Amino acid sequence: MTSEITLFVNPTAGRGRGAHAAQPAARALRDAGFSVRTVLGEDSADALRRAREAVDSGTGALVAVGGDGLMSLALQAVAGTTTPLGVIGVGTGNDFARALGLPVRNPAAAVRLIAGALKGGQLREVDLGRVGQKWFGTVLASGFDSRVNDRGNRMRWPRGRFKYDVAMVAELAALRPIPYRITLDGGDVREIEATLVAVGNGPSYGGGMQICAGARMDDGLFDVTVVGDCTRTTLLRVFPRVYRGTHLSHPKVTVHRVRSITLEAADVTGYADGEPMGPLPLTAECVPGAVQVLAPILAADN
C-alpha cells in the first residue's frame, strides 16, 4: 500500500466540525509517516471528480472527513475498487460510521484507528447497496420519511434540522397509506399499502434511528422494513421506538431479508444515505464486499 493518503473533506460537516478535524487529522497521519494531500471541491460534483481522480491515480487510501453526505460521495469514488476507505465521522448523523462500530465525533480516535489499520494492513470488506450506478452504505428510504425529506428540502425557512421537524408535522397532517408494488429477489410482485419501506444495508438513518435494526453490512443481504398502513396516532406511538429498534415487534411492521428489491409507487422519491436517488420505481441490489474499510477486526465487531 502506498504511503500517500488522500484526505477528502467536507468543511461544513457538523456545523464546522469537518473543517476543525481536517488539519489535526492530516497532521496526525503525517506524524504516523504518511504523505497526505487534501481534496476539497467547489460543489458535490467537483468534489466527487477530484476524489475519483485521486483513486484513479493510485492513492493508498481515501479518508473521508465529514458526515453521511460526504461518505456517500466517497463511496461513489471507491466502491468496486481496491482503494480502501477511512472514515472520520464528524457530521450530524454519522450512520455509516455507527454501523461499522467506528468512532463518531471523535476525530482523534478515528485517526489513530486509521493510522493503525494502514500500518497493519487491516481492511474490512463490507457490502454496499446499488441503485443503477449509484452506491449507498446505510438505508434506502421511501414513503413517509422520504416525503419529509422532500418537503424539508423545498423549505427555505426555518433553517437547519428544525425545518425537517416542521416538515414532519406537515406530512403527518397529510398522512395517507401509499400503494406499493414490491418485488423481492425477482420473485412475485406484492401489492401492499404501507406508510414507508426502508431498505437497510446498515441498521440506521437520521443519526441513529434503528429503522432496520439488526441489519449487518457483511452478510450479502438487505433487511427491508415495511411499516404498514398506520394512522397518525399509531405512527406517533411507534415512531419513538425506532431509536431503540423495538418497533420491529409492532404488528404493523414486517421485515424481509433479500438480495434485491424493486420498489414501485407513485409520487415517491427514494433517498439513500440522506441523498436523493430519484423517483420510484427503483431497483436496489446488495453487492457483497463492494468496499474495503480501514478498520481493525475489534472495531468492526463493536
Side-chain angles (χ1 to χ4, degrees), residues 242-294:
V242 173
Y243 287 94
R244 301 186 304 276
T246 57
H247 64 293
L248 298 183
S249 63
H250 193 278
K252 285 289 186 180
V253 179
T254 56
V255 176
H256 309 277
R257 304 190 76 231
V258 299
R259 291 180 175 83
S260 68
I261 182 170
T262 298
L263 300 173
E264 300 175 70
D267 302 319
V268 175
T269 303
Y271 282 78
D273 296 340
E275 302 298 317
M277 300 293 278
L280 272 56
L282 294 174
T283 296
E285 62 174 319
C286 185
V287 182
V291 66
Q292 299 181 86
V293 178
L294 290 161

Side-chain angles (χ1 to χ4, degrees), residues 21-66:
Q23 289 188 353
R27 184 166 56 249
L29 288 169
R30 290 190 181 105
D31 290 346
F34 297 98
S35 173
V36 179
R37 62 185 293 258
T38 300
V39 167
L40 295 169
E42 296 178 1
D43 52 31
S44 294
D46 183 56
L48 177 55
R49 178 184 63 80
R50 292 171 185 262
R52 282 176 167 159
E53 286 176 352
V55 170
D56 292 342
S57 68
T59 187
L62 187 70
V63 178
V65 185

Side-chain angles (χ1 to χ4, degrees), residues 1 55 58-62 77-85 123 125 290-292:
M1 181 180 295
V55 170
T59 187
L62 187 70
V78 300
T81 75
T82 59
T83 301
L85 175 67
L123 302 176
E125 288 191 346
V291 66
Q292 299 181 86

Side-chain angles (χ1 to χ4, degrees), residues 48-252:
L48 177 55
R49 178 184 63 80
R50 292 171 185 262
R52 282 176 167 159
E53 286 176 352
V55 170
D56 292 342
S57 68
T59 187
L62 187 70
V63 178
V65 185
D68 287 323
L70 189 76
M71 298 307 156
S72 176
L73 280 180
L75 291 177
Q76 311 312 311
V78 300
T81 75
T82 59
T83 301
L85 175 67
V87 178
I88 302 178
V90 292
T92 303
N94 305 304
D95 288 289
F96 188 70
R98 292 174 196 274
L100 293 168
L102 300 175
V104 170
R105 297 182 189 172
N106 188 344
V111 170
R112 287 194 298 270
L113 185 151
I114 289 167
L118 283 165
K119 288 187 171 181
Q122 296 168 311
L123 302 176
R124 182 184 178 192
E125 288 191 346
V126 299
D127 309 335
L128 293 178
R130 183 168 62 191
V131 176
Q133 300 301 311
K134 296 181 181 179
W135 300 88
F136 67 93
T138 56
V139 176
L140 169 64
S142 73
F144 174 77
D145 42 10
S146 67
R147 285 181 168 172
V148 170
N149 258 323
D150 277 340
R151 184 181 289 269
N153 291 342
R154 292 193 303 267
M155 293 169 61
R156 297 185 178 181
W157 185 91
R159 294 186 175 185
R161 292 183 64 85
F162 183 62
K163 70 179 179 180
Y164 293 99
D165 295 332
V166 175
M168 181 179 292
V169 171
E171 286 299 325
L172 275 170
L175 184 68
R176 298 289 187 277
I178 299 170
Y180 277 91
R181 289 166 53 90
I182 300 176
T183 307
L184 305 177
D185 283 334
D188 294 336
V189 176
R190 304 183 182 200
E191 297 191 2
I192 62 171
E193 289 200 338
T195 301
L196 65 86
V197 179
V199 181
N201 182 55
S204 71
Y205 63 6
M209 291 189 287
Q210 303 287 311
I211 187 68
C212 297
R216 293 179 55 91
M217 298 181 73
D218 58 2
D219 62 357
L221 295 171
F222 290 135
D223 281 33
V224 179
T225 299
V226 179
V227 178
D229 54 338
C230 291
T231 64
R232 282 187 287 275
T233 300
T234 299
L235 187 60
L236 287 170
R237 286 176 178 171
V238 172
F239 184 78
R241 296 170 57 178
V242 173
Y243 287 94
R244 301 186 304 276
T246 57
H247 64 293
L248 298 183
S249 63
H250 193 278
K252 285 289 186 180

